[in-house]
Amino acid sequence: ASLPFDDATRNATRNATASVFYNDTRPAAPNGYLCVYGAKGRLNNLILQNLVGIHMAHHLNRTLLVDPEVSKYYDIDRLSLTTYADSPHRAAIPIEKSDHAACGDPKLISPYSINRGLSIPQRFDDYGSQIKDREVASVDNSDIWYWLGRPPEEVYGKFFRGLVPRQVYLAKVHAFSRENNLLQDR
């Protein structure tokens, strides 16, 4: 007997490989951009940094600049539209599609300090007041991980539903699966 999630998983795989293109045409958020400086580690770590970054950027009414290692593999327009669909502004954009070449060191472009005695939303607000006049604000990778916290479960769900590989990679996976008879219904 098949488990209840087997059909759902199979259907999700078929749907994910369908040729659907997303184009987030919303404008950037009015307070500018936010990026994570010093992003390092494996792709799964970079994805989690962007999860916290997109949540923080949205809270600050900014658009997250996604580093090339993540935007190379994932459809950032879809991620932006899925994570914050009701926002009038773009939640995220690949840094290479912006007017900014790279994420700069926060010590140089947007110095800040974190008051560890504040709650996470208060830290976001405090950070926002420190960088309010900057078109591009940068937050250090270590602060994303250790001091700025975890997004709510609702954001987690929307983020990971929208985190879909770019079409070129989906097509390769689908072709491999078809060639090796891995898509057969059981």
Side-chain angles (χ1 to χ4, degrees), residues 167-179:
Q167 195 62 39
V168 65
Y169 298 106
L170 286 175
K172 288 179 181 184
V173 168
H174 189 68
F176 176 84
S177 298
R178 193 174 47 249
E179 288 169 11

Side-chain angles (χ1 to χ4, degrees), residues 129-143:
S129 68
Q130 294 176 56
I131 52 92
K132 66 180 172 202
D133 297 326
R134 310 286 178 156
E135 179 189 355
V136 177
S138 176
V139 64
D140 193 86
N141 167 57
S142 61
D143 293 330

Side-chain angles (χ1 to χ4, degrees), residues 56 112-118 123 126-127 130 139-140 142-144 146-148:
M56 183 177 181
Y112 65 90
S113 63
I114 296 177
N115 180 343
R116 292 170 177 87
L118 299 175
R123 288 179 195 167
D126 186 47
Y127 174 81
Q130 294 176 56
V139 64
D140 193 86
S142 61
D143 293 330
I144 281 289
Y146 299 111
W147 300 113
L148 296 176

Side-chain angles (χ1 to χ4, degrees), residues 24 26 54 76-85 90-92:
D24 191 350
R26 298 174 295 179
I54 202 169
I76 303 306
D77 282 334
R78 180 176 178 157
L79 179 69
S80 179
L81 286 163
T82 304
T83 308
Y84 290 105
R90 215 181 163 122

Side-chain angles (χ1 to χ4, degrees), residues 1-7 10 186:
S2 67
L3 297 173
F5 61 82
D6 284 346
D7 289 334
R10 216 175 349 270
R186 297 177 192 201

Side-chain angles (χ1 to χ4, degrees), residues 91-114:
I93 185 172
I95 199 165
E96 62 271 13
K97 283 189 175 180
S98 74
D99 295 333
H100 308 285
C103 186
D105 185 340
K107 294 176 186 138
L108 302 174
I109 68 166
S110 57
Y112 65 90
S113 63
I114 296 177

Side-chain angles (χ1 to χ4, degrees), residues 19-37:
S19 293
V20 177
F21 298 96
Y22 292 84
N23 186 17
D24 191 350
T25 59
R26 298 174 295 179
N31 290 346
Y33 298 96
L34 177 73
C35 62
V36 179
Y37 177 76

